[in-house]
Amino acid sequence: MCNSQAAYSALEALPMGWVGEIVDEELVASPRPAPVQARAAFMLGVELGERFDPRRGGSGRWCFLRAPELRLGHDVLVPDLAGWRRDRLTEAPTPEEPFLTLAPDWICEVLAPSTAALDRTRKLPAYARAGVSHVWLVDPSARTLEVFLRVKRGWLLVDTFEGDAIVRAEPFASLPLELSSLWMPTESFLELVR
């Protein structure tokens, strides 16, 4: 373990292209997501935003952010996606603070070989301590979605979906989500961008 001030200094000194988090007062650095993870996070954000963001014609009941810095107690965490119920957001964050201290209602971590162990063994308990109610773990390599609900003793795995399933999962049970939209198409990435 290192002290909090030293961990913050090390966090700020990370090279470009790395994401730093402080979990249990220890600095943990991970490379930026690969294209398959970036696509899964982006497409999930698009799907949720179109249904729940008022500017996209949605219900306006949620506010979503991609890779926000969360300062939750001693932990500094950067989930792939986070969502807050609008009724819990009583005031907008100030532009001077590049982080949030209000725990989200929902978190999504997109698993990569370099981050899966961290996400499962260290960040899930940190999210439970902070009071996050729902966590989704998306694995683009396995093409799965795991849905967790916080209970008194930690996390309860509520459901697992795979492949091209149509998913209705809490806290967004009203949204039919096509898992296939999260996965990198079978054509090569270079063919897609030509």
Side-chain angles (χ1 to χ4, degrees), residues 60-71:
R61 295 183 315 210
W62 286 83
C63 175
F64 297 102
L65 293 177
R66 168 83 175 97
E69 180 177 318
L70 305 174
R71 295 193 181 183

Side-chain angles (χ1 to χ4, degrees), residues 43-67:
M43 292 304 294
L44 182 55
V46 167
E47 293 288 329
L48 294 174
E50 286 185 350
R51 298 295 176 93
F52 297 108
D53 191 286
R55 291 189 177 151
R56 302 291 298 168
S59 68
R61 295 183 315 210
W62 286 83
C63 175
F64 297 102
L65 293 177
R66 168 83 175 97

Side-chain angles (χ1 to χ4, degrees), residues 157-171:
L157 177 61
V158 175
D159 217 333
T160 303
F161 303 94
E162 65 179 332
D164 297 338
I166 306 294
V167 173
R168 288 183 181 271
E170 289 298 332

Side-chain angles (χ1 to χ4, degrees), residues 37-110:
Q37 285 83 27
R39 176 183 171 82
F42 173 77
M43 292 304 294
L44 182 55
V46 167
E47 293 288 329
L48 294 174
E50 286 185 350
R51 298 295 176 93
F52 297 108
D53 191 286
R55 291 189 177 151
R56 302 291 298 168
S59 68
R61 295 183 315 210
W62 286 83
C63 175
F64 297 102
L65 293 177
R66 168 83 175 97
E69 180 177 318
L70 305 174
R71 295 193 181 183
L72 306 173
H74 292 293
D75 296 316
V76 178
L77 304 166
V78 182
D80 293 299
L81 288 164
W84 291 260
R85 294 180 194 276
R86 290 243 184 221
D87 60 1
R88 287 189 58 232
L89 293 172
T90 56
E91 56 186 62
T94 63
E96 298 81 34
E97 292 182 340
F99 58 87
L100 295 160
T101 57
L102 178 65
D105 295 289
W106 169 84
I107 292 282
C108 178
E109 292 287 2
V110 179

